[in-house]
Structure formats: structure tokens, C-alpha cells
Amino acid sequence: MRTPHALLATAAALAAAAVAPPAAADAAADVPPGGTYYVQSATTGLNAAAGKSAVEQHNPKGDEDHQRWNLLASGASYVLEDADTAGSCLGRSGDQARTVACTGPDAAWEIAPAGDDQYTLKVPGADRHLTVAAKPAGANYPAQLAIGSAGGLARWYLTPVRPATRPMPPADRRTLDQVTFLTAHNAYANGVDGGFAPPFVNLVPNQTRGIDRQLADGVRGFMLDIHQTRDGAILCHNSCTLVSKPVALWVDLQRMVDFLEAHPDQFVTVFLEDYVDPGVLRGELARVDGLSDVLYRPDRTGVRQNGWPRMADLIAANQRLLILTDHSRSADETAGLTRDSFGVMYQREWTVENHWSMGSGLGSSDWSCYSRWYGADLNIPLTRTEPGFRPLFVMNHFRDTTISGTAQTDNGKLADRAERFCEPAARKKPNFLAVDRYDLGNPAAAVDSLNTHTYP
């Protein structure tokens, strides 16, 4: 990651702000105050980024990649100046977004609220707006931003680069979506509880401590891969072929249920990378003693209408184990048995999640933060919200391959990436910080830091 550039503003724009007429002051009541923002598509969650001349939507990348814009009043309108390049503003040329001189007429925008903390950026005196270009069939939305008609593609968040956070509420008031949990990526792939992959892969475990030790160390989120064998749902990486002494899913779930029974003030979440038939999974869960006593069912408690409950209420009700699957609901409906009918929630309905990898175990890194579920066939931006409901945010922070030295360095930078890259990308605080080798680089310190505040 590069060192943040100093924020710059043009004298011309500042002078215009100082002499703005009363009309601009009235309009400002509906516009965020002057400051530095990301101009973030409400459709894709991606950020407007300044190039040599083009303005494109790019994966959110914090203070890198020319994605920060200074919002400044300019007469009765506003300009958005590239925070890294004095005098260069987000503007337009014809039907395309371009960087232009801040003092020119093509830099001015009328900014108006569009509901749900969203805004439109309109060309003064014309029915033309900054917009994401229409999506071609079978492709992603184009990178080049356009100037076009009003509508859903012309809605934007103006996300503060450094939002004013609020102190965390007292323990008896904080809700589930305000809390951050340390999460073990591929928690089962630890080389302690049993085999998890063919021999050559077994040499590079994602974790080095068993599930019981992970629970004792404060891990509260567990990512597990399950595959189907004649013995049921088994924990393996990629497949269970040639795996010596693999662990069954029910065995690790029993460990978690037993821990919860011994620690009645704790809450655990399980994420299943799920390759089994729903009937097989239902049978596996039925083997876990006490599971139904602690299982949390957000689908039955009005969460989508009223938001996430208080942690204290979940603990009082003994609803302390949330299980999520990445499996497709539509595929299960075709099979005739949905997983949420027996208490396993569909992750895409309840969470958002950033892309799963920062790169290979060695070499270049990709610290940008964008949705894992953004592509030609699926679009669930990290910014997704619904009336009364904000999905939980799963923040992945690991590589393709686990190398201890890289994990040590990455985990030491976890809080920085969360606060500088991923919080503004999702417009919410991460609820699950998923890492490899949680015993290295002190990722628990990042969890503690995030648990001191809430995102506005």
C-alpha cells in the first residue's frame, strides 16, 4: 500500500465556495458537507477513479488509484476535485465522464438527494447525469462512466474517506451487526484434528491449531468446506479423495455446541462452503447433540424487517449458533428441500462478502475491497442494504496459499485494511475478519480495535 497523498484543493474552487450565493447555501442542506469522498455507484459498489483523462469505476482501493474527490461548492453548483491532482475535477466530455479543469463549465454538477443516502449528479440546466453505462448481456458493467439519463444507474453514494465513527454502545445495547468477530478461514484445515487434503496440500495448513483451541483463543467465526462422501458431509479442501483421517462436519459442530453450553455468554457463526445435497446436510446436523437448543434462526425473528437483534437478547434466548451456506437457494428449490427449512441460512441473503483472495502467497498483493459476488451473472455489491436491514459484512483477508511469513505480515495490517479500504467500500464495519494463521500477526488486536466503535 502506498503512503496517502496530501489532500489538495484549488484556489479557484475555494474562492467560489467562499462567495457562494444564498441559493447554494440552501441547496447545501441536501448535500453532504464539504470534504473528501468516494463517489461510489449504488448499483455496483465500485468507485469513480480518475485516469489520464477518463473516469472509470474501479474496485475500491482506499487512498490509492485516484478514487478520492474533494467536494467543493462552486457558485450554485458543486465540483469534485481529484484529491491527488490539484485543479483536476470529475467532469464530462460529450457522453463520457472525463477529468477536466475545475474552473471549466464541464466540471460543475447539481447534486440532489435520491433517497437511502444516495445522490444524483446532474449537469446544470440539462437532464443529463453521471451514470454507470448499461450492462451488456453476459458481461460486467463497463468500467467507463457515462453521462446519460436519470434512473437506477445514476444513483451514487458520497462516502466519506474518513467517516466520524461513534463509540460502541454498552454490552447490553449493541446489536449483532455492530460487533466484529475473529474468524478462521478454513478452520478445519489445521493438521491437528485430522486430515484435510491430499498429502502435498496437507503440508500447508490454513491454521495450525485445532477447533477446540481456536475456540479457547477467541475465534468465533469458522469457515468450513464440506464435501459429500458415503459417510456424509466431510471437511476437506477441494475434495476428500486421498485424504487420510478426514473429520466429519458433525464432529466439529459438536465441539462448537459443547463450547457454547460451557460458555453461555458466547456466540459462534459457521460459514459452509457447501458441496453436499441438502438431505445429507440435514442428516449431518441431526447428529449434533444440543444443536437445536442453541441454533439461531434470523429468518423466524423479523430481522429483515426490524434489523439485527441485540447480542444480549440473543444470549438470553440461547440463540447463539448461526450457520450459513454459500449454496444456491434456487438449486435447492429444484431439489425439493431448502437448507433454511432446517436452520441453515443462505449466505447471500444475509451477508455481503469481499473477494476471497488478496493474491498468491508470494509476490504482488491486491488490497482492494470489492464484492465476491460481482460479475456477469451476479451483482450483490458490498454496499447492499434494505429498508430496516443491513447485511452482515464478511471481510476476507488471506491469500491463495498460506505462507507463514506472508500471513504474519498481512495479519499485522488487518486493522489498516479494514478501516482504510473495506469499511468505506462496504459503508459498514466488518463483522467477521477472516484470516489464515490467526496465531500470527495478532489479528485479535484488529478485532478489539474495531469493537471500540460503530460505523455511522
Side-chain angles (χ1 to χ4, degrees), residues 403-427:
I403 297 174
S404 59
T406 305
Q408 171 98 28
T409 300
D410 287 348
N411 290 348
K413 297 178 179 179
L414 178 57
D416 181 62
R417 184 178 181 225
E419 294 173 4
R420 193 153 62 93
F421 285 65
C422 291
E423 276 194 354
R427 296 174 54 82

Side-chain angles (χ1 to χ4, degrees), residues 249-269:
L249 171 64
W250 77 267
V251 172
D252 274 356
L253 289 180
Q254 189 68 66
R255 291 181 170 119
M256 296 173 198
V257 170
D258 291 346
F259 173 86
L260 290 172
E261 290 179 350
H263 300 83
D265 61 342
Q266 296 300 301
F267 186 91
V268 166
T269 304

